[in-house]
């Protein structure tokens, strides 16, 4: 079995990741400011966590804010950050009570002190929880993550801590921000867009992709369950044939 990838033909994915797309469109089609879509999106986050927990998923990764999202208007970025702080402040206790472990992957240097403090508090408080690991990808970029790994590997090689012949796929995986997290079995993207958008580039080599038309604020528990069912019908071969897998 490959590193970090669960075996084929398992009905329940160990790790589900979601590209939560369509908040802006949900709001603008209703004549509302975009932030209203993000607020509604936070309700979908709660539902997705519940659905993942109910389905027996062990890891749920949510792409909440990409490195590219910093280029949105100052107002929208400010509102999303406020929403994120509010969410961490108001939900950590409840998530902790439900046995959820919170982890954040991304470029923390971009966040203000208060936000970093709330992230660290949430991570520290929930560190030992085992029911579900919730990974929030915040200020995250797959290419940046790989670039950081390349730099760290080169640094260790130059320092003589690492021999060139030790560099293999497992080692690269261990230099990524997701080193403690198995690769995703399933990535769901909402809103009908069919792109990976710089999300978990290395980790998604053999991930099943499910695209759903619902905008993220409309995403329900049943949509999560339907995606899991769709995953169950997929045949994962990891490049091998049906006969010789
Ligand atoms: C994508 O929709 C969504 C975002 C960039 C922000 C996601 C934020 C949340 C769901 C809420 C806060 C997060 C947490 C973890 C509580 P979009 O704005 O790109 O939609 P569009 O493509 O229709 O414009």
């Amino acid at each position: 079995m490959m590193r970090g990838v669960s075996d084929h033909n398992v009905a329940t994915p160990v790790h589900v990741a979601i590209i939560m797309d369509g908040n802006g469109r949900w709001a603008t089609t209703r004549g509302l400011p975009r932030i209203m879509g993000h607020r509604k999106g936070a309700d979908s986050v709660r539902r997705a966590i519940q659905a993942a927990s109910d389905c027996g998923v062990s890891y749920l990764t949510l792409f909440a804010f990409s490195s590219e999202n910093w280029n949105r208007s100052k107002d929208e970025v400010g509102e999303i950050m406020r929403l994120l702080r509010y969410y961490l402040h108001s939900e950590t206790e409840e998530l902790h009570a439900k046995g959820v472990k919170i982890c954040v992957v991304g470029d923390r240097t971009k966040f203000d002190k208060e936000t970093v403090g709330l992230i660290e508090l949430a991570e520290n408080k929930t560190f030992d929880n085992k029911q579900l690991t919730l990974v929030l990808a915040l200020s995250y970029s797959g290419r940046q993550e790989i670039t950081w790994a390349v730099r760290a590997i080169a640094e260790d090689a130059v320092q003589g801590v690492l021999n060139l012949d030790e560099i293999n796929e497992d080692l690269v995986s261990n230099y990524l921000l997701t080193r403690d997290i198995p690769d995703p079995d399933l990535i769901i993207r909402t809103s009908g867009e069919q792109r990976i958008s710089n999300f978990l580039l290395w980790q998604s080599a053999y991930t099943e992709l499910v695209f759903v038309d619902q905008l993220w604020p409309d995403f329900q528990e049943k949509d999560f369950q339907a995606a899991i069912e769709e995953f169950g019908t997929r045949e994962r071969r990891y490049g091998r044939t049906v006969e010789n897998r």
Side-chain angles (χ1 to χ4, degrees), residues 20-26 34 37-39 41-42 45 62-66 69 72 76 80 83-84 87 136 138 191 193 215-216:
M20 310 184 289
D21 197 11
N23 291 350
R25 273 164 285 164
W26 184 92
R34 293 175 58 85
H38 298 314
R39 276 187 206 154
V45 167
L62 300 176
F63 200 5
F65 198 80
S66 74
N69 287 151
R72 293 193 176 189
E76 185 174 348
I80 294 176
L83 184 59
L84 179 66
Y87 182 87
L136 298 176
L138 293 171
S191 91
E193 305 288 345
L215 302 174
W216 178 247

Side-chain angles (χ1 to χ4, degrees), residues 14-52:
V14 172
H15 181 180
V16 178
I18 309 183
I19 303 176
M20 310 184 289
D21 197 11
N23 291 350
R25 273 164 285 164
W26 184 92
T28 46
T29 53
R30 287 166 175 76
L32 297 168
R34 293 175 58 85
I35 185 60
M36 294 303 288
H38 298 314
R39 276 187 206 154
K40 269 281 186 190
D43 294 338
S44 297
V45 167
R46 290 181 193 100
R47 287 196 294 270
I49 295 168
Q50 191 59 49

